[in-house]
Structure formats: structure tokens, C-alpha cells
Amino acid sequence: ETGVTQTPRHLVMGMTNKKSLKCEQHLGHNAMYWYKQSAKKPLELMFVYSLEERVENNSVPSRFSPECPNSSHLFLHLHTLQPEDSALYLCASSGTEGINTIYFGEGSWLTVV
Amino acid sequence: AQSVSQHNHHVILSEAASLELGCNYSYGGTVNLFWYVQYPGQHLQLLLKYFSGDPLVKGIKGFEAEFIKSKFSFNLRKPSVQWSDTAEYFCAVRRTSGSARQLTFGSGTQLTVLP
């Protein structure tokens, strides 16, 4: 149990589908993050939310749309993805953005066909 | 922007061998440094971190890392590895000032320990 729960763990979707990844943290943290982990590449930060406001968007394509309805939940809405978007998507949280240690969820494996 | 280099992509050791994984970063200011570990099929877990003070930090499971500011390095060490240490290890750096406060990760080092 990591304190950060992601669902689904595995997702296969077509390029025309719309799906969402969900993340929930049970740690009382104020900041939440989406990272993309591809094989043989460093983890890429996609989005940062601090106190439910987006504070960082690292030039992610608009086919990825985050949503943070409250400090415990974070979504990543997926629409018209490309095969190269197949990767492990990691959610993480921390006490305060930029200060505390970041804790990761187990990830959602996404395959785009 | 800062970057993190992990020069060893795959390390293979026998049990009881000593381990040192290299990590170098490129930023001249004050940083926080981290090592994360990802066991097969599991989530990223914090192994140890350096914020300030003693540059030799000890983490879980017998790991330690030494911050050498002059070399911009934060190498991970363990005197005697076990088969259960087989995992991928990620070094990460975070600037402590400015807007770029998010972690920058290295590309990871896969450690395989042979029984």
C-alpha cells in the first residue's frame, strides 16, 4: 500500500477512444503530479497541481487533459492518443509542491492500439 | 534546465558484491537529491534523500549515498548486495529555488543481482 492509488492498472485503448486515468492519495498531501515513464527514458513530468490549481504543464499535448477536483483526487483524461503515447503513467503526491518528498502510485500501464 | 545522468544503464552483480551506481547532475545552485527504487512490478519507492547537512546519507535496506558538491554527484552505494536488490534505480534532483521545483529524473539503472 503506497498511499497513492491508481486505476486502472492496465488500459488498452484505440486511437479514437476517450478514457480516463484516476489517482487518489490518502496521505493528506497538497500537491499531485502526473509523470510519464517510457522504456529507457527518464521520467517525464507532465502536470503538477498544488492546492488543486495547475502550477506546471510541461508542454504536454492537448490530447492529455488533467483534472484535479480536490486535493485527494487527480484525473488524466485521454482523447485521440497516438501509439507513441503507450507508456506507464505515474501519479504522485507530496505534502507541499516543491518542498516535500514525492510519493508515487503503482502506475497505469497504457497501450494505444 | 537541470539534467541528471546515470551512466550505467544495466549493472549485473553477484550476491555479496559491492555496489556503486553513479549519478551526476547539471545545476550549479542548491539542490535536493533523491534515489528511488522500483522493484519488478512495484511502484517507485524512496530509497534515500539529501536535503542538507551530512553529505553521507543512509537510506533503507543498507543503502547509502554521498553528495559531493564539487563533482555534482550523488552516487548510491551498498557494501554487499542481495538478490532481492534486483530492481531499477533512479536518481532525481530538484532545485531548491526558482520555479523549477519539480524532480528531474535520470534514465535509471537496472540492477540485476545473481544468486
Side-chain angles (χ1 to χ4, degrees), chain B residues 9-97:
Chain B
H9 296 296
H10 195 178
V11 173
I12 302 174
L13 296 173
S14 298
E15 275 193 313
S18 64
L19 169 71
E20 181 160 3
L21 301 182
C23 174
N24 289 91
Y25 64 95
S26 65
Y27 176 64
T30 306
V31 294
N32 301 144
L33 299 155
F34 305 80
W35 275 99
Y36 282 84
V37 60
Q38 189 171 30
Y39 297 102
Q42 296 189 27
H43 65 282
L44 274 165
Q45 302 173 44
L46 181 68
L47 202 54
L48 48 78
K49 62 185 178 184
Y50 171 81
F51 279 10
S52 64
D54 188 345
L56 183 62
V57 294
K58 295 190 184 298
I60 59 173
K61 303 184 181 185
F63 286 90
E64 65 179 29
E66 184 175 13
F67 170 47
I68 302 178
K69 188 174 182 180
S70 61
K71 295 184 178 180
F72 301 93
S73 69
F74 190 56
N75 291 354
L76 180 71
R77 300 194 294 246
K78 185 171 184 178
S80 176
V81 294
Q82 302 172 307
W83 176 78
S84 57
D85 293 324
T86 295
E88 190 153 18
Y89 293 81
F90 295 89
C91 180
V93 173
R94 181 177 63 202
R95 293 167 61 175
T96 59
S97 62

